[in-house]
Amino acid sequence: MIIRNASVLGKAGELERKHIVVEDGVITAIKDQLDAAEEAGELIEAEGKLLIPGLIDMHVHLREPGFEHKETIETGSRSAAKGGFTTIACMPNTRPVTDSPEIVELVKRKAEEAGLVKVLPYAAITKNELGRELTDFAALKAAGAIGFTDDGVGVQSAQMMKDAMRIAAGLDMPVIAHCEDNSLVEGAPVAEGTFADKHGLKGIPNESEAIHVGRDILLAEATGVHYHVCHVSTEQSVRLIRQAKQIGIKVTAEVCPHHLLLSEEDIPGMDANWKMNPPLRSRRDVEACIEGLLDGTLDIIVTDHAPHSAEEKAKGMQLAPFGIVGFETAFPLLYTAFVATGKWDLSLLVQRMTADPARVFRLNTGSLTIGAPADLTLIDLNEEKEVNPETFASKGRNTPFAGWKLKGWPVKTWVDGKEVWTDK
Ligand code: DOR
Ligand code: ZN
Ligand code: ZN
C-alpha cells in the first residue's frame, strides 16, 4: 500500500508532501517521488490531507467486562479508530475489576477479536479497587498489564501507595494515579466555584487532587518508581509536578481536552454531560494546565473516554455518574481551539498525542519513521463539521461539546497497515 501526496510534519514542524510506502504493516519508505512500478500499485490519494502517526490515548474506559450497556471493547475500539486513535490503554474499573490475570487476558482477547485498535490493559493496584489489599503485580505483568492504577478512585492510604510503588519499581512498571483525597470531596458533584455557589451544590476543592499529587511525588522519590499522574486539573498539581521534574523525580503527567477547554463557569446548567471527575475547575486552573502542557510539565494528552448510558446521565447533576466520552472529539477540539487559532504549533499537538505517550510508556509506535508499525491517521484540516453525538461510534453520547463547529476531523485510520476506519 502507498499513501500518495500526504502532508506530513517535517523535523522542524513544517508540512512536506510525501508518499508513504507500507509493506506487511510496516512503514518501509517515505519518498518524494514514486517509481513506475509503485505508481501502478495500490495507491491511496491523500492530496491536501494531513498524515500523522496514529493517535495514542493512555487513559480510557472501555467498560467490558461488566458494563456492556455503556460500551464494549468492540464499540470503544471503533470509536477510538473513528477518532484517529490506533493505541489505547484501558482502565481496570470494570466488573469484575481487572485485578486478576484472567481479566487482563479477557480484555486482550476481546480486543483481538474486535481487530481494530491496539488495546493495552492496565491492572488495578488494589483488589476490587477497594484500597484494602494489593493485587499480584508480578502475575498481572506476566498476563500483559502495562501498569497499575485504581483509576476511578484515589488510593487513600499512603502506606498502601508506598508498598505498591516499591513493588512496581522492582518490576520496572509504572504506577498511574487518580489523585483524589476522599475526605475533602464528600459527595460534591462539581468543583468549588461560581457554579456550585449559584446552584447550592457542594464543591470539590483543588486540594483534594493536589494533596495526593504531592504525597505521591514524595513516595515516588522514596521508591524510585515511574509515577504517572492522571488527568491533572489544578494549578497546584501542575506546580508540584513541575518542581518534582526539576529535581529529577521520575514523574510524568497527563491532561484531558476538557480541562484545557472548559472551566466551571462554562457549565450551562444542571446538565450531567458537564459532570466528570476531576471536575471542570476555574479559568485560572485551565490556564495553568495549558501552560503546563506547553512547557512539558504535562507530558501527554488523554481523553479519559468515560461512556455512560443516557438513562444514567439523566439522573441529574448530583446523582449521575462522573465522566464524558472523548475519542471522537479530542483531535478536532484541540486542533480548532489551539492550532487553527495560531496559539499552538500543529507539531506540538501531534507530539503530545503520539510521540510523547510513546516515550512515556515505551511504546514502539507514535512516530512516522521507516521501520515503525504503519499506525497512521489521515486528517482533513479544512472541512468544518458540527459535533453530533447521534453519529458517535461509541455507545456513549455523554459530551458537553454537542453542536460545536470543528475542523481537523480524522478521515481514515490504519493499524499495522490495515484500514480500521474510513469516513467514506
Ligand atoms: O469522570 C470520570 N469517569 N472520572 C473517573 O475517575 C472515573 C470515570 C468513569 O469510570 O466513569
Ligand atoms: Zn480518574
Ligand atoms: Zn479515568
Side-chain angles (χ1 to χ4, degrees):
M1 167 181 95
I2 296 173
I3 303 169
R4 179 164 72 170
N5 295 321
S7 293
V8 305
L9 282 161
K11 286 216 164 52
E14 74 292 6
L15 287 176
E16 303 172 330
R17 177 195 288 232
K18 296 281 182 189
H19 314 299
I20 314 299
V21 184
V22 173
E23 288 168 84
D24 296 327
V26 174
I27 300 169
T28 53
I30 301 171
K31 313 180 80 167
D32 294 319
Q33 289 292 330
L34 294 176
D35 60 33
E38 288 166 338
E39 290 278 5
E42 186 196 342
L43 293 175
I44 291 153
E45 183 57 53
E47 177 72 47
K49 305 260 181 1
L50 174 72
L51 187 73
I52 57 174
L55 302 174
I56 300 172
D57 190 345
M58 294 306 297
H59 186 142
V60 319
H61 298 267
L62 298 180
R63 306 302 191 200
E64 195 178 357
F67 301 101
E68 289 83 356
H69 67 285
K70 298 177 196 270
E71 193 81 292
T72 65
I73 289 171
E74 184 179 355
T75 60
S77 295
R78 183 160 295 113
S79 175
K82 187 174 177 188
F85 293 90
T86 55
T87 295
I88 59 179
C90 60
M91 288 299 171
N93 61 339
T94 46
R95 188 175 61 203
V97 164
T98 308
D99 59 5
S100 68
E102 291 71 32
I103 304 298
V104 173
E105 277 152 16
L106 175 108
V107 169
K108 287 196 330 189
R109 191 172 67 246
K110 293 267 181 183
E112 256 162 55
E113 282 166 15
L116 294 164
V117 300
K118 296 173 182 173
V119 176
L120 310 174
Y122 289 113
I125 295 172
T126 67
K127 289 188 183 160
N128 221 4
E129 292 201 3
L130 288 173
R132 299 203 189 110
E133 197 185 339
L134 291 178
T135 58
D136 183 345
F137 285 13
L140 290 162
K141 178 183 181 183
I146 62 146
F148 302 104
T149 176
D150 273 3
D151 186 52
V153 288
V155 175
Q156 300 303 306
S157 153
Q159 183 65 58
M160 185 71 68
M161 192 54 144
K162 189 173 184 186
D163 290 344
M165 286 185 177
R166 194 184 295 112
I167 299 168
L171 293 165
D172 194 24
M173 291 279 276
V175 167
I176 292 92
H178 171 114
C179 289
E180 183 174 19
D181 184 312
N182 292 346
S183 70
L184 289 163
V185 174
E186 286 182 31
V190 295
E192 283 182 343
T194 55
F195 184 86
D197 290 348
K198 182 172 163 202
H199 294 273
L201 298 167
K202 260 194 184 171
I204 303 172
N206 280 18
E207 312 83 74
S208 68
E209 172 178 292
I211 278 179
H212 268 211
V213 173
R215 177 198 76 177
D216 290 354
I217 283 169
L218 295 170
L219 297 175
E221 182 180 25
T223 59
V225 77
H226 169 200
Y227 170 62
H228 179 80
V229 189
C230 286
H231 39 53
V232 170
S233 68
T234 71
E235 183 189 17
Q236 294 82 357
S237 303
V238 174
R239 186 175 73 218
L240 288 164
I241 295 162
R242 184 177 289 124
Q243 289 169 349
K245 283 187 166 189
Q246 276 164 6
I247 57 172
I249 297 171
K250 240 190 287 169
V251 53
T252 56
E254 59 186 42
V255 64
C256 303
H258 45 277
H259 293 127
L260 297 167
L261 288 164
L262 302 173
S263 76
E264 55 89 21
E265 292 167 37
D266 298 319
I267 305 174
M270 296 291 274
D271 174 357
N273 286 326
W274 295 71
K275 179 178 181 180
M276 72 292 285
N277 187 12
L280 301 175
R281 311 261 188 190
S282 71
R283 196 66 226 169
R284 190 180 163 127
D285 293 303
V286 172
E287 293 306 327
C289 288
I290 293 171
E291 210 181 298
L293 187 76
L294 289 175
D295 75 10
T297 299
L298 307 181
D299 300 80
I300 67 174
I301 296 167
V302 303
T303 66
D304 199 2
H305 179 80
H308 293 291
S309 70
E311 295 70 35
E312 290 162 321
K313 277 298 193 182
K315 290 179 183 166
M317 199 56 121
Q318 185 63 50
L319 294 177
F322 290 95
I324 62 171
V325 291
F327 288 138
E328 295 170 60
T329 51
F331 191 88
L333 278 170
L334 296 170
Y335 177 79
T336 304
F338 295 111
V339 180
T341 53
K343 293 177 184 161
W344 300 357
D345 288 340
L346 175 61
S347 58
L348 178 109
L349 173 60
V350 171
Q351 193 184 321
R352 295 282 190 267
M353 299 181 80
T354 59
D356 286 327
R359 166 181 57 80
V360 168
F361 288 94
R362 292 185 265 171
L363 309 177
N364 73 340
T365 181
S367 72
L368 227 166
T369 49
I370 293 165
D375 294 355
L376 300 165
T377 299
L378 193 63
I379 292 179
D380 181 344
L381 295 181
N382 299 314
E383 198 197 340
E384 191 176 74
K385 280 196 298 187
E386 241 179 61
V387 174
N388 178 2
E390 296 311 314
T391 66
F392 286 172
S394 171
K395 285 191 184 182
R397 303 280 184 267
N398 45 313
T399 176
F401 298 111
W404 285 41
K405 289 190 179 61
L406 306 177
K407 290 182 180 184
W409 295 93
V411 292
K412 263 186 212 301
T413 308
W414 296 268
V415 172
D416 290 328
K418 177 187 153 195
E419 185 182 291
V420 291
W421 190 74
T422 178
D423 74 337
K424 310 242 161 39

